[in-house]
């Protein structure tokens, strides 16, 4: 039903909890190639409903990104991307709408530069907000209902006092929706300066002695292995977005067809392992609320 495909591993920012930002990948890095993308879409289009143009990296860094969006759109696939918003100049805003992109998430993790750059290191909030305004204005000019524009606010301790402000800012600009997202923190057990003090928005519970644990018990269920997957820029298929370094390689679409891979031995073995317990799989350990957002 759903595939995430990685346009690039490159990013212009240096966010502290992101392999792209840290330049800390243990796998090959590069850009998705158009020919491989088209071949993959030709195989998947008949059954695919949602295509998420995002895994790691900033999609707009790939110079052919919007051409690939249009190719998928023309095949009737619902297309989504997530961007840090630094490349939404007027020309790209126009081309984005022309591509047919259905949904765009713009990461805005602060409403002042000082707060924003606590997490989005190297970023400029004024550029992001101007990019958002460009998208809103171009939609009006072209009389387009798409893409549906979302401000995503990753709630961390440095920005939690600006939650109300992000709603006000989105309304002022004309953004369609705001989503608040919990932050995954790698080193959380002894505390972390990013963990929010507002318990509702934290994945981690303070134990009272300065230590933290994942708040909710790891539910022993996951349906992603039967309806979704992630494809890296170089064709490797991995189980989900928590396998950022592609340690659980289930096959490579440059070597085999998706149909063969989906029913292949590696995928079936991973599904069987999952059914024996998520607590036995490393990428599941910090995933309890991995996709939790609040409108």
């Amino acid at each position: 039903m759903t595939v995430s495909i990685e346009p690039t591993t490159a990013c212009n920012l240096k966010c502290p909890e992101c392999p792209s930002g840290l330049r800390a990948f243990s796998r090959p890095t590069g850009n998705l190639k158009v020919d491989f993308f088209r071949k993959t879409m030709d195989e998947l289009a008949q059954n695919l409903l949602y295509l998420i143009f995002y895994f790691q990296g900033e999609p707009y860094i790939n110079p052919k990104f919007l051409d690939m969006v249009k190719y998928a759109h023309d095949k009737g696939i619902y297309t989504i991307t997530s961007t840090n918003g630094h490349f939404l100049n007027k020309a790209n805003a126009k081309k984005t709408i022309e591509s047919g992109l259905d949904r765009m998430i713009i990461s805005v993790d602060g409403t002042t530069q000082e707060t924003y750059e606590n997490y989005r290191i190297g970023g400029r909030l004024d550029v992001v907000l101007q990019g958002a305004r460009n998208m809103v204005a171009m939609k009006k000019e072209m009389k387009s209902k798409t893409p549906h524009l979302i401000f995503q606010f990753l709630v961390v301790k440095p920005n939690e006092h600006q939650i109300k402000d992000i709603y006000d800012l989105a309304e002022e600009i004309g953004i369609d929706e705001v989503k608040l997202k919990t932050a995954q923190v790698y080193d959380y057990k002894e505390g972390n300066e990013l963990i929010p003090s507002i318990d509702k928005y934290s994945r981690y519970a303070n134990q009272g002695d300065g230590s933290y644990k994942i708040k909710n018990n790891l539910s022993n269920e996951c349906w992603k292995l039967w309806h979704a997957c992630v494809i890296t820029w170089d064709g490797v298929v991995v189980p989900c977005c928590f396998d950022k370094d592609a340690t659980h390689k289930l096959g490579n679409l440059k070597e085999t067809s998706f149909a063969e891979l989906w029913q292949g031995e590696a995928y079936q073995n991973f599904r069987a392992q999952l059914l024996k317990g998520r607590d036995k799989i490393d990428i599941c350990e910090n995933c309890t609320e991995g996709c939790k957002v609040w409108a």
Side-chain angles (χ1 to χ4, degrees), residues 7-36:
T8 183
T9 52
C11 189
N12 54 309
L13 303 185
K14 296 182 178 181
C15 305
E17 295 293 321
C18 173
S20 292
L22 294 170
R23 312 319 191 237
F25 285 112
S26 60
R27 62 180 172 95
T29 56
N31 280 350
L32 179 67
K33 303 303 182 190
V34 173
D35 289 347
F36 166 67

Side-chain angles (χ1 to χ4, degrees), residues 43-44 47 253 256-264 267 271:
E43 181 183 1
L44 297 181
N47 299 307
L253 292 178
T256 186
S257 70
F258 185 85
E260 183 180 355
L261 186 153
W262 187 248
Q263 299 296 340
Y267 235 122
R271 290 183 182 113

Side-chain angles (χ1 to χ4, degrees), residues 14-15 20 32 34 44 49 57 77 83 87 89 114 118 128 130 142 153 167 177 190 192 195 229 235 238 245 252 273:
K14 296 182 178 181
C15 305
S20 292
L32 179 67
V34 173
L44 297 181
L49 298 179
I77 303 168
T83 175
F87 298 90
N89 55 44
E114 181 181 7
N118 267 293
V128 177
Q130 183 56 53
M142 298 176 69
F153 190 87
Y167 284 94
E177 187 178 357
E190 302 303 320
N192 188 299
I195 296 176
C229 72
V238 297
D245 271 316
N252 193 312
Q273 183 183 4

Side-chain angles (χ1 to χ4, degrees), residues 235-260:
V236 174
V237 174
V238 297
C240 75
C241 62
F242 269 76
D243 193 4
K244 296 178 174 63
D245 271 316
T247 56
H248 299 277
K249 296 178 177 65
L250 303 177
N252 193 312
L253 292 178
K254 293 188 176 181
E255 300 169 0
T256 186
S257 70
F258 185 85
E260 183 180 355

